Amino acid sequence: MVEATGEIRIGVYVCHCGTNIAATLDVAELARYASTLAHVQVARDYKYMCSEPGQELIKEDVARYGLNRVVVAACSPHLHESTFRRVLQEAGLNPYLLAMANIREHVAWTAAAGPVAQARARAQIAAAVARVARQKPLSPRSYPVVPRVLVIGGGIAGIQAALTLAEAGKEVILVEREPTIGGHMAKFDKTFPTLDCAACILTPKMSAVKDHPNIKLLTYSEIQEVTGSVGRFVVKVLRKPRYIRDDLCVGCLQCIEACLFKALKIPNEFDLGLSKRKPIYLPFPQAVPRIPVIDPQTCLRLRTGKCKQTCLEACADRNAIDFEQQEWVEEYEVGAIIVATGFRTFDPASLAYYGYGRFPEVYTALEVERLLNAAGPTGGEVLLRDGAKPRAVGIVHCVGSRDRNTHPYCSRVCCMYAIKLAHLIRERTGAEVFNFYIDIRAPGKGFEEFYERVQKEGVHFMRGKVGEVERLTDNGDSPRLLVTVEDTLVGRVRKIPVDMLVLAVALEPAEGADELQKLLHLSCSSEGFFLEKHPKLAPVNTASDGIFVAGACQGPKDIPDTVAQADAAAAQALALIDHGVVETEPNIAWVNEEVCSGCRVCIALCPFDAITPDEEKQVAVIDPALCKGCGTCVAACPSGAAQQDLFSIAEILAEIEGILSA
């Protein structure tokens, strides 16, 4: 590789980006201006610099003019900096002798065409030329990768990612905060648009996770701490006590039968309170692992110490019940992390006009999913809380979605699961079903056909928002609720009497997502979903190297999209691990020990815990494996001892001088 020594020879390349840049800026004039700057040997403009001909143009000029530095005036470095670094490397130059002037996002997309925009673009190019003249050759550091992956979340996304990695021969640690894996999909009866049995799809995968030799399943557990960096994360997992030892329990469930509580009195969380359970329980019959949990809040032995402990007698042969069990922490080293924490459903109680929480006939869609499920509280029958079968059912779309007062975003799945529920309710009860919608969004494979099928089955669709739900006086056969809705297709307000009202609620970030975001140093969108590195080029990567996202934790999506994204995240993790080593960017900070006063200001500010004090020398020490090059310590250092490669003071000052000179 050619080192940048002797005379500085710079090539400048201005990209048209089709019309993204050229429609606003005179790119030919920018190239002529660049050719007048110090050290510039050649300046060109080209329609698409990132294309193969554009890349070849740079390589040819490096050879012809002896260039040892390159400036590309184009789009954001986040998009194509890696592309042009590779071009420099193939041309025989150090890849870090490149500077990019972002004249697309910073100028062409934010300014009107004219002399002001042209002047701003010239300033950007002048700054990049001045900066690149001060840049030095750098080399990335390499570290070995731990051949193990942590998957956080045991829903369908986490299950799919874990199985894909395990089948590739990689060791997987799967952590799930609930007592069983399966997530929301385990609560569904059927999936749209094909009406496949959700359990038939999911439960074999759950069993495969339990039985796979490459997967270590940690249920009823939470991530407590994450340190380290890509290739070698150190993760502490908090294991919550079941009060039943998983190494001794055989899943006979005799302890549940023997429990002193003969009547079921405690609301069952898995059935969303629609059924009851005992203090010792299995979340649902197909739960994995098939190990009961003892609830310390309701168990007489754990709460009061006074109980006949008939469950202990039933388990005398195995001695699996351990009332002395405490929380404990396990530590694992992993090379990559996949976050698949899923979603939670919007609580419509805050929207009082829908009547949820006031009228027992108002249900959320997930509660109705449990009623429809054959393993649910009613054995698959759609029954009201008083045991009656509804004869008229209303389904309200977009509850908590597409609403400035709650969530402005579309939750993507609500239209289709509402149509699915309409089909299933009509099939099971013969009831008249009304769907109140804003717009029907059916963009997936087979979705529009399913929508048309349900229409032909006699389900009513009314376009308009529900304004009020009120109680009707019960006069014999009179329905219980009256729904007021503006029917925009006929241009009048209608009042529809129903026995049951189902709210198709929005999807929100999962509970605890904000704490996990802090532990993993992830970015979030304004809605709270984990943010991908790039929506098109890196949809499962995150800004934190070695951490990937899959499923609804990244944004609302249906099961096929979730499974596809889980496989994509697994593929990215697999590529990282199979490489064996990880190369980190060399733009890390370092400390000039001769100048450092040992004030420790940088230690408290470092968001990645990469700085530690050297007590003997009384200076700060930066771990290059942990440093992410954020520059916080450099900006805060009062003595100027903290410096950063690729963002040195000399380079930044040169950049400022370039802007001012233009």
Side-chain angles (χ1 to χ4, degrees):
M1 184 176 291
V2 178
E3 294 296 334
T5 58
E7 182 187 1
I8 296 173
R9 303 177 67 84
I10 302 173
V12 179
Y13 301 88
V14 185
C15 182
H16 294 227
C17 196
T19 58
N20 280 292
I21 295 173
T24 303
L25 301 171
D26 185 344
V27 289
E29 190 278 333
L30 291 176
R32 289 194 296 272
Y33 168 76
S35 66
T36 67
L37 299 174
H39 307 299
V40 174
Q41 304 300 309
V42 61
R44 303 184 189 277
D45 64 280
Y46 188 72
K47 191 171 289 290
Y48 294 105
M49 282 307 306
C50 59
S51 67
E52 188 172 348
Q55 296 179 34
E56 289 300 322
L57 185 63
I58 297 174
K59 294 177 188 177
E60 291 170 4
D61 284 351
V62 168
R64 181 183 304 167
Y65 296 100
L67 305 180
N68 52 26
R69 286 169 173 79
V70 170
V71 170
V72 178
C75 53
S76 166
H78 285 292
L79 191 60
H80 279 308
E81 186 175 51
S82 59
T83 300
F84 293 112
R85 281 181 177 173
R86 188 183 67 252
V87 171
L88 264 65
Q89 194 164 20
E90 291 173 357
L93 296 180
N94 186 287
Y96 296 96
L97 296 176
L98 165 76
M100 289 195 69
N102 186 357
I103 62 172
R104 188 178 73 172
E105 284 85 345
H106 288 177
V107 184
W109 283 0
T110 56
V116 173
Q118 199 72 10
R120 284 172 58 185
R122 286 196 212 102
Q124 290 265 17
I125 293 171
V129 169
R131 154 188 257 285
V132 81
R134 295 297 188 98
Q135 288 178 202
K136 298 177 181 178
L138 299 172
S139 298
R141 289 174 168 81
S142 297
Y143 302 95
V145 176
V146 177
R148 186 183 301 117
V149 180
L150 171 71
V151 178
I152 306 174
I156 184 59
I159 288 171
Q160 183 69 25
L163 287 173
T164 299
L165 288 162
E167 286 297 311
K170 305 305 175 187
E171 187 179 346
V172 180
I173 310 295
L174 177 57
V175 177
E176 167 57 47
R177 69 187 304 169
E178 298 297 331
T180 174
I181 58 174
H184 284 91
M185 189 176 172
K187 299 179 181 180
F188 301 160
D189 179 51
K190 296 184 186 298
T191 62
F192 62 79
T194 54
L195 299 178
D196 291 315
C197 169
C200 300
I201 301 170
L202 182 65
T203 51
K205 286 183 175 288
M206 293 167 61
S207 298
V209 166
K210 176 180 68 72
D211 297 332
H212 207 292
N214 289 339
I215 298 177
K216 185 175 181 64
L217 180 58
L218 307 178
T219 55
Y220 214 39
S221 304
E222 294 185 16
I223 304 300
Q224 186 182 60
E225 182 181 322
V226 180
T227 56
S229 59
V230 55
R232 189 171 293 274
F233 294 102
V234 180
V235 181
K236 291 183 179 178
V237 181
L238 178 67
R239 306 293 309 277
K240 293 181 284 187
R242 290 176 179 266
Y243 303 103
I244 294 178
R245 291 181 54 177
D246 54 5
D247 58 333
L248 297 178
C249 180
V250 294
C252 66
L253 308 185
Q254 292 181 15
C255 53
I256 299 177
E257 293 293 327
C259 178
L260 194 64
F261 279 65
K262 297 305 178 186
L264 305 180
K265 296 182 178 180
I266 303 153
N268 186 340
E269 298 85 352
F270 189 83
D271 281 336
L272 290 87
L274 296 173
S275 67
K276 305 291 185 181
R277 62 166 174 83
K278 294 184 177 183
I280 181 169
Y281 67 99
L282 191 70
F284 67 106
Q286 297 80 31
V288 172
R290 189 178 168 81
I291 301 173
V293 185
I294 298 178
D295 180 3
Q297 303 301 318
T298 56
C299 172
L300 290 177
R301 166 64 175 78
L302 291 170
R303 190 161 55 89
T304 67
K306 299 176 181 179
C307 179
K308 293 182 179 179
Q309 302 185 49
T310 50
C311 57
L312 276 178
E313 297 174 12
C315 194
D317 292 341
R318 303 294 303 179
N319 287 320
I321 297 178
D322 181 6
F323 286 113
E324 305 304 319
Q325 200 175 57
Q326 301 292 323
E327 291 183 346
W328 74 100
V329 175
E330 295 177 0
E331 187 173 290
Y332 299 93
E333 284 190 347
V334 297
I337 298 174
I338 295 176
V339 183
T341 49
F343 66 92
R344 67 179 168 190
T345 53
F346 172 72
D347 182 0
S350 59
L351 305 178
Y353 49 87
Y354 287 127
Y356 184 77
R358 291 190 297 123
F359 303 138
E361 299 85 6
V362 181
Y363 294 77
T364 66
L366 195 56
E367 290 172 341
V368 176
E369 289 278 4
R370 293 310 300 150
L371 294 178
L372 289 164
N373 195 295
T378 58
E381 287 192 74
V382 181
L383 301 175
L384 297 168
R385 288 182 170 88
D386 62 2
K389 183 176 289 189
R391 291 168 298 173
V393 178
I395 302 176
V396 184
H397 292 223
C398 297
V399 176
S401 288
R402 304 179 66 196
D403 185 339
R404 295 181 185 276
N405 298 315
T406 52
H407 303 303
Y409 58 84
C410 171
S411 290
R412 288 189 60 185
V413 298
C414 309
C415 283
M416 293 310 300
Y417 80 60
I419 293 171
K420 177 195 74 174
L421 291 178
H423 165 81
L424 294 175
I425 290 170
R426 186 160 177 78
E427 181 183 66
R428 304 281 175 89
T429 66
E432 194 170 14
V433 181
F434 301 86
N435 273 50
F436 308 111
Y437 69 97
I438 302 174
D439 294 300
I440 294 294
R441 299 189 171 183
K445 184 177 181 180
F447 287 10
E448 188 69 24
E449 294 85 347
F450 183 62
Y451 171 38
E452 291 177 0
R453 170 188 168 181
V454 174
Q455 282 180 304
K456 292 175 181 176
E457 291 172 352
V459 172
H460 305 288
F461 286 85
M462 295 186 186
R463 186 176 183 272
K465 294 199 71 172
V466 171
E468 186 181 14
V469 178
E470 55 189 325
R471 170 73 70 194
L472 263 179
T473 304
D474 192 359
N475 296 320
D477 294 336
S478 175
R480 298 184 177 90
L481 298 175
L482 190 67
V483 179
T484 303
V485 58
E486 180 189 8
D487 190 336
T488 61
L489 295 180
V490 297
R492 65 187 181 90
V493 174
R494 301 179 65 175
K495 293 183 180 291
I496 308 295
V498 297
D499 298 301
M500 170 189 271
L501 190 66
V502 183
L503 305 181
V505 291
L507 273 56
E508 296 180 329
E511 184 181 356
D514 48 352
E515 289 88 356
L516 190 61
Q517 176 251 330
K518 295 172 186 175
L519 285 175
L520 299 176
H521 307 293
L522 298 178
S523 299
C524 285
S525 64
S526 58
E527 300 89 7
F529 293 102
F530 295 133
L531 198 62
E532 67 281 2
K533 189 174 183 179
H534 190 281
K536 297 177 180 64
L537 299 179
V540 299
N541 301 67
T542 67
S544 297
D545 293 338
I547 301 179
F548 310 96
V549 290
C553 69
Q554 183 260 341
K557 54 181 61 67
D558 61 13
I559 293 168
D561 285 352
T562 293
V563 171
Q565 196 175 36
D567 277 336
Q572 290 287 345
L574 191 60
L576 171 65
I577 288 177
D578 269 355
H579 192 56
V581 295
V582 59
E583 289 188 348
T584 59
E585 285 288 302
N587 59 324
I588 59 173
W590 52 276
V591 173
N592 184 344
E593 294 185 359
E594 295 181 359
V595 182
C596 181
S597 64
C599 68
R600 304 193 180 197
V601 168
C602 57
I603 296 175
L605 292 175
C606 179
F608 302 101
D609 299 321
I611 310 176
T612 54
D614 185 324
E615 301 293 352
E616 184 178 340
K617 295 182 180 179
Q618 288 297 301
V619 296
V621 177
I622 298 177
D623 184 345
L626 298 180
C627 178
K628 296 295 182 183
C630 68
T632 303
C633 58
V634 180
C637 181
S639 61
Q643 296 290 322
Q644 185 176 349
D645 291 329
L646 210 60
F647 292 94
S648 68
I649 292 176
E651 291 164 357
I652 293 172
L653 289 177
E655 201 167 3
I656 294 171
E657 289 172 2
I659 292 173
L660 296 175
S661 69

